[in-house]
């Protein structure tokens, strides 16, 4: 078996709109295509012995053991690998269960698709599943635990921490979209101008000065002390001499910690001897030159959480420890404690397993203990100096026990420091009485406090501490969204996108839009090239200046990674025609329609899918949509339009030379097409068709009115700057160039239909074929060209995409010969050379229509020739 490729779907995709996170592995079974599972002796028994939990997989049978029934009956290895990959992740603490395995159209080749929780773990599971299947097939031993442990490590390295994760989950629950901005904990909540950011539990609303103060323990202590908040007496030291002086002044017991440390790093507590103090001093110095030495406050370690300057909850924290039984060693007691099913690796469970590290060894050394020491019955042996859950500590919720005076004090502390998300560490005998009266003290004020102890306490009531964070960032139930219009289809996408964006801009929107020639933010080109995939869409959604997005979504991006957004407000589907057939497992028009349908399937239930009623495949998409439907047609008498109108539906039609909106049976005539520059006085029927969905989609927004739409239609000028590669005319003294991106039979037919209405004595076509298209598609380009052009020049694209030039040229010639073998034809393979030839051999009055390969390159060359003519 051979893995051909692995793709990661991060958004709604061909396989599933509701389960956007999928691994798609193209797997060549090779000789295993002829060996279904029921022909491999002992396969099922060996797989069951290695992964008995696969019994729970129901598969298509719908009950436990269903998958093994399929294995017994005989199923192909791709299907088995799908289930192994899912179970591997589940065994590693990432419970997930969606999968699909389908043929690519090539014998023995399959797409194995399955869901993932963490992307890198999903990719690892795909590769490991193939290794496991091969080992089971061959009857070889396999170390499954090694894979499971590696998956856990990957999960901990790549997942959002529990604090960031719970905020993201709370936001997602409210319908607030999010984008992870790096591999760590920086996350954007919301889109465009409405976005907020979080890094762990620091928000974009959190003041930089406040964070700086909280990170400087001495500065924090001084501010609190000046405000009559109880803090431990102490000072800052830098030398051993300073250490001696501090000990003489404050006496034992003491605490020594770095001035700007966090998460307990470098902290040593309950210091009672000079040697302990010296060791602690050196440990703290590893984190900075300055060290704080304070009087050790006896009592219990409490954490108070204040969000948006309001008390939220409180927890009692206990360091990792074991209790002696007078019989067993410390190591044995640690091992038994780690068997608690609530303890896991990293953050996978409520509690973290206790590990032996330098801190543990140091604490044991101070008591003259080793791991083989047997502590007395009932003796508490502390294993860590701080009560962090990440090192095996435990937490107990004590929110209900906090005295009102302590609540007031903590809210006041948050205001004094200026932290809107604030963790306050208190050492006191309890919180039931005021800290100012029970001898307790404030030890630290923390920016980016951990939430895990509150959302998953070892004991007591879990607290949804993410809720007040999201309330603070998005008040009044704001979803943090901007309007999104998504545009897909085979032809007309880019022009429709540009026109829609222009209408929104005229209406006062700050528009970001993506097209096949670039990404634009408020009409400024930010990225060049084909920008119709999820990375480009995300670029727009991440931009903090954008309040309206129009996103062109092409087949390639959907099949490669899925969409960049989970939902949109309006989706436009222009048409479905033969293009890119035979690529990425898409072999029929029906399959292509399924790809395009991913976009309207993401529309909110209150939103609209704007569908082409003249295209059967597009119109049929409405049957699988859970949103409102609006239709457009070039024929007002289209029966589908008439039925839709009778039901009170919205539509746009071309009637009596007008772009007209139908509200039920009422007509709103928007504009005569002869007054719309994009239609070239009504000759460019395909651009009339492009206007219809753009006008209708814009009309759906209450703050875009008819006057805005009319003004936009009148001011949208077809040109190499406004619509590059779409009906771009260049008028020379004796000839005219028409450059267009038509690159498939459907698009070329529309272009040629327009050209046939133009009054030129001679029409020359400069055509090419794209190498990764089917033979019949390339041949058809030749057929269409021969019907419309008086002469033909064949050129080749820069990127031949898997074919050689002669093969493409011959297929075009075959098509030309089928339609009109008499049409004069010549071959000039290089596009620039072809343009130079035309310029040097001008036929007066002729129109030269060029199918552009790289739009920008072709336009630049034509402009160069224009400048040459002007200076000659």
């Amino acid at each position: 078996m051979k893995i051909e490729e692995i793709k990661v779907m991060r958004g709604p995709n061909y396989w599933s709109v509701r389960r956007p996170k999928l691994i798609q592995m193209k797997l060549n079974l090779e000789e295993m295509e002829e060996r279904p599972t029921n022909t491999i002796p002992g396969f099922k028994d060996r797989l069951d012995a290695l992964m008995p939990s696969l019994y729970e997989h129901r598969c298509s049978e719908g009950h436990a053991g269903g998958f093994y029934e399929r294995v017994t009956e005989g199923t192909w290895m791709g299907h088995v690998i799908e289930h192994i990959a899912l179970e591997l992740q589940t065994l590693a603490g990432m419970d997930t269960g969606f999968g699909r395995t389908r043929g690519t159209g090539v014998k023995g080749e399959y797409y194995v698709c399955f869901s993932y929780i963490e992307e890198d773990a999903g990719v690892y599971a795909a590769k490991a599943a193939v290794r496991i299947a091969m080992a089971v097939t061959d009857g070889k031993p396999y170390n499954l635990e090694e894979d499971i442990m590696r998956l856990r490590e990957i999960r901990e390295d790549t997942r959002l921490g529990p604090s960031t994760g719970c905020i993201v989950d709370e936001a997602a629950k409210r319908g607030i979209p999010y984008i992870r901005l790096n591999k760590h904990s920086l996350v954007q909540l919301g889109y465009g101008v409405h976005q907020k950011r979080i890094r762990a539990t620091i928000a974009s609303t959190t003041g930089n000065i406040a964070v700086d103060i909280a990170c400087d323990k001495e500065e924090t202590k001084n501010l609190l002390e000046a405000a009559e908040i109880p803090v431990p007496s102490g000072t800052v030291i830098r030398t051993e001499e300073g250490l001696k002086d501090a000990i003489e002044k404050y006496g034992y017991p003491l605490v020594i910690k770095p001035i700007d440390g966090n998460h307990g790093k470098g902290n040593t507590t309950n210091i009672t001897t000079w040697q302990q103090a010296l060791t602690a001093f050196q440990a703290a110095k590893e984190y900075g030159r300055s060290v704080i030495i304070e009087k050790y406050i006896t009592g219990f370690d409490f954490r108070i959480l204040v969000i948006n300057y309001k008390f939220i909850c409180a927890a009692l924290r206990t360091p990792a420890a074991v209790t002696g039984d007078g019989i067993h060693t410390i190591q044995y007691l640690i091992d038994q404690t780690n068997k608690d099913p609530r303890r896991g690796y990293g953050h996978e469970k409520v509690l973290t397993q206790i590990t032996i590290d330098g801190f543990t060894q140091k604490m044991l050394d101070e008591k003259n203990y080793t791991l083989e020491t047997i502590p007395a019955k009932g003796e508490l042996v502390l294993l860590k100096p701080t009560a962090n859950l990440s090192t095996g500590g435990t937490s107990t919720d004590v929110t209900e026990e906090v005295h009102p005076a302590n609540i007031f004090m903590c809210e006041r502390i948050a205001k004094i420091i200026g932290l809107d998300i604030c963790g306050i560490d208190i050492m006191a005998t309890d919180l039931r009485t005021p800290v100012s009266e029970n001898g307790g003290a404030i030890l630290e004020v923390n920016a980016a406090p951990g939430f895990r102890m509150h959302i998953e306490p070892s004991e007591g009531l879990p607290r949804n501490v993410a809720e007040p964070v999201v309330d603070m960032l998005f008040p009044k139930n704001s979803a943090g969204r901007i309007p999104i219009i998504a545009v897909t289809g085979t032809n007309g996408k880019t022009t429709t996108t540009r026109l829609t964006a222009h209408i929104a801009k005229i209406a006062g929107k700050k528009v970001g839009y993506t097209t096949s020639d670039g990404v634009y933010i408020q009409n400024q080109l930010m990225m060049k090239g084909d920008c119709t995939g999820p990375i480009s869409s995300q670029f727009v959604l991440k931009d903090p200046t954008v309040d309206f997005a129009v996103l062109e979504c092409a087949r390639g991006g959907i099949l490669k990674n899925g969409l960049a957004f989970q939902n949109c407000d309006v989706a436009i589907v222009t048409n479905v025609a033969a293009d890119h057939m035979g690529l990425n497992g898409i072999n029929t028009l029906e399959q292509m329609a399924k790809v395009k349908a991913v976009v309207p399937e993401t529309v909110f239930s209150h939103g609209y899918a704007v569908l082409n009623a003249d295209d059967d495949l597009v119109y049929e998409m409405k049957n699988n949509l859970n949103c409102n439907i609006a239709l457009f047609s070039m024929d007002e008498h289209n029966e589908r339009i008439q039925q839709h109108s009778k039901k009170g539906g919205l539509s746009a039609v071309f009637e009596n030379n007008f772009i007209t909106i139908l509200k039920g049976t009422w007509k709103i005539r928007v504009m005569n097409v002869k007054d719309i520059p994009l239609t070239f006085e009504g000759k460019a029927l395909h651009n009339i068709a492009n206007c219809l969905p753009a006008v209708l989609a814009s009309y759906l927004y209450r703050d875009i009115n008819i006057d805005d739409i009319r003004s936009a239609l009148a001011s949208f000028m077809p040109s190499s700057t406004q619509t590059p590669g779409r009906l771009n005319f260049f008028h020379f003294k004796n000839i005219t160039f028409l450059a267009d991106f038509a690159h498939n039979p459907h698009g070329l037919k529309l272009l040629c239909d327009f050209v046939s209405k133009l009054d030129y004595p001679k029409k020359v076509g400069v055509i090419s074929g794209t190498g990764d298209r089917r033979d019949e598609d390339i041949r058809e380009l030749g057929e269409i060209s021969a019907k419309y052009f008086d002469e033909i020049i064949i050129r080749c694209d820069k990127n031949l995409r898997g074919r050689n030039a002669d093969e493409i040229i011959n297929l075009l010639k075959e098509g030309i010969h089928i339609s009109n073998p008499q049409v004069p034809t010549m071959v000039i393979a290089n596009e620039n050379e072809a343009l130079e030839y035309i310029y040097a051999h001008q036929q007066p009055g002729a129109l030269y229509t060029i199918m552009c390969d790289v739009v920008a390159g072709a336009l630049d060359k034509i402009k160069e020739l224009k400048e040459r003519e002007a200076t000659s």
Side-chain angles (χ1 to χ4, degrees), residues 23-252:
I23 298 297
Q24 176 187 295
M25 173 169 59
K26 186 195 285 188
L27 183 67
N28 190 333
L29 294 188
E30 298 178 323
E31 72 279 358
M32 293 303 296
E33 172 68 4
E34 308 301 328
R35 298 182 68 192
T37 53
N38 62 338
T39 67
I40 304 172
F43 180 86
K44 187 258 184 185
D45 292 338
R46 290 194 295 273
L47 182 60
D48 188 25
L50 182 65
M51 302 183 76
S53 52
L54 278 171
Y55 178 80
E56 299 301 322
H57 287 220
R58 305 164 71 86
C59 203
S60 57
E61 304 303 311
H63 57 80
F67 167 64
Y68 275 137
E69 289 177 15
R70 293 288 306 279
V71 172
T72 301
E73 295 166 359
T75 188
W76 270 260
M77 204 54 65
H79 180 212
V80 173
I81 287 167
E82 168 202 321
H83 281 268
I84 292 175
L86 289 169
E87 188 59 22
L88 263 179
Q89 294 178 87
T90 297
L91 291 171
M94 294 168 283
D95 192 5
T96 187
F98 174 81
R100 291 284 184 272
T101 298
R102 300 289 184 267
T104 68
V106 176
K107 185 179 180 182
E109 194 175 79
Y110 294 85
Y111 285 124
V112 179
C113 302
F114 58 88
S115 54
Y116 66 86
I117 303 298
E118 298 299 329
E119 182 177 308
D120 291 350
V123 172
Y124 182 93
K127 296 175 181 178
V130 174
R131 294 195 299 267
I132 292 168
M134 293 174 71
V136 174
T137 298
D138 297 338
K140 295 180 179 178
Y142 192 88
N143 188 343
L144 188 66
E145 284 304 314
E146 188 175 294
D147 279 337
I148 293 171
M149 191 61 205
R150 180 61 190 135
L151 281 167
R152 285 174 172 163
E153 291 169 352
I154 292 171
R155 179 199 65 209
E156 291 305 302
D157 287 344
T158 59
R159 73 189 294 193
L160 290 171
S163 300
T164 313
C166 75
I167 297 172
V168 169
D169 289 344
E170 178 66 23
K173 187 172 72 176
R174 300 190 192 189
I176 298 169
Y178 70 92
I179 300 172
R180 192 168 179 177
L181 297 177
N182 62 15
K183 291 187 175 182
H184 305 291
S185 57
L186 183 61
V187 179
Q188 174 183 316
L189 303 177
Y191 289 150
V193 295
H194 300 306
Q195 67 180 267
K196 304 290 184 184
R197 290 180 182 175
I198 57 170
R199 187 199 295 273
T201 59
I202 293 178
S204 50
T205 55
T206 305
N208 185 55
I209 294 176
V211 174
D212 281 348
I213 293 171
C215 289
D216 187 328
K217 296 184 182 356
E218 180 66 10
E219 188 68 41
T220 300
K221 183 178 173 182
N222 291 339
L223 284 172
L224 296 184
E225 193 170 26
E228 295 298 327
I229 303 292
V231 295
S233 54
T235 188
V236 175
I237 60 172
R238 293 183 175 83
T239 64
E240 285 188 24
E241 192 65 33
L243 177 62
K244 289 177 182 177
D245 292 343
I247 291 174
E248 289 179 8
K249 181 176 181 180
Y250 300 112
Y252 297 114

Side-chain angles (χ1 to χ4, degrees), residues 354-561:
I354 301 171
T355 58
I356 308 301
D357 59 13
F359 289 113
T360 307
Q361 206 64 55
K362 176 183 166 187
M363 297 188 74
L364 293 177
D365 289 345
E366 289 171 355
K367 294 174 69 71
N368 292 320
Y369 282 3
T370 71
L371 291 172
E372 299 307 311
T373 298
I374 299 175
K377 185 175 182 179
E379 181 185 354
L380 183 69
V381 181
L382 296 177
L383 301 170
K384 304 291 179 187
T386 59
N388 293 324
L389 269 65
S390 59
T391 58
T394 61
S395 68
T396 302
D397 180 75
V398 293
T399 302
E400 311 300 338
E401 301 176 10
V402 183
H403 192 279
N406 291 332
I407 291 175
F408 172 76
M409 177 187 69
C410 289
E411 291 179 346
R412 185 165 171 256
I413 288 171
K415 283 282 190 180
I416 290 167
I417 304 302
L419 275 179
D420 57 1
I421 302 175
C422 179
I424 301 168
D425 293 341
I426 299 176
M427 186 68 73
T429 54
D430 63 71
L431 293 180
R432 296 185 185 91
T433 57
V435 171
S436 58
E437 297 177 9
N438 64 22
I442 309 304
L443 301 184
E444 291 183 9
V445 178
N446 298 277
F451 284 1
R452 185 181 174 201
M453 70 187 78
H454 305 297
I455 59 177
E456 294 180 324
S458 316
E459 298 179 34
L461 191 65
R463 305 287 173 172
N464 182 6
V465 296
E467 184 177 34
V469 174
V470 178
D471 284 342
M472 177 181 72
L473 297 176
F474 298 95
K476 299 180 181 178
N477 296 318
S478 165
R481 292 182 175 273
I482 61 173
I484 297 176
I485 297 178
V487 183
T488 193
T490 301
N491 292 306
K493 299 187 298 296
T494 298
T495 300
T496 301
T497 297
R498 283 181 167 276
L499 178 56
T500 305
H502 184 67
I503 294 171
K505 174 178 173 289
I506 292 296
K509 307 296 184 184
K510 294 174 181 171
V511 187
Y513 61 98
T514 64
T515 70
S516 57
D517 51 72
V519 176
Y520 296 80
I521 302 296
Q522 298 185 54
N523 271 13
Q524 297 293 313
L525 178 62
M526 297 294 169
M527 296 170 63
K528 284 186 177 181
D530 187 347
C531 297
T532 56
I535 293 175
S536 303
S537 292
Q538 202 171 84
F539 183 94
V540 169
L541 298 174
K542 289 193 292 189
D543 192 286
T545 69
V546 170
D547 64 13
F548 198 101
V550 185
L551 307 174
E552 181 178 346
C553 304
R555 165 210 63 91
I558 297 171
L559 290 174
K560 184 177 181 180
N561 296 119

Side-chain angles (χ1 to χ4, degrees), residues 782 785-787 789-792 816-817 820-826:
S785 300
K787 290 178 182 177
F789 294 117
D790 302 313
E791 293 180 15
I792 295 175
I816 292 169
H817 186 76
N820 183 4
Q822 306 304 318
V823 64
T825 304
M826 66 185 302

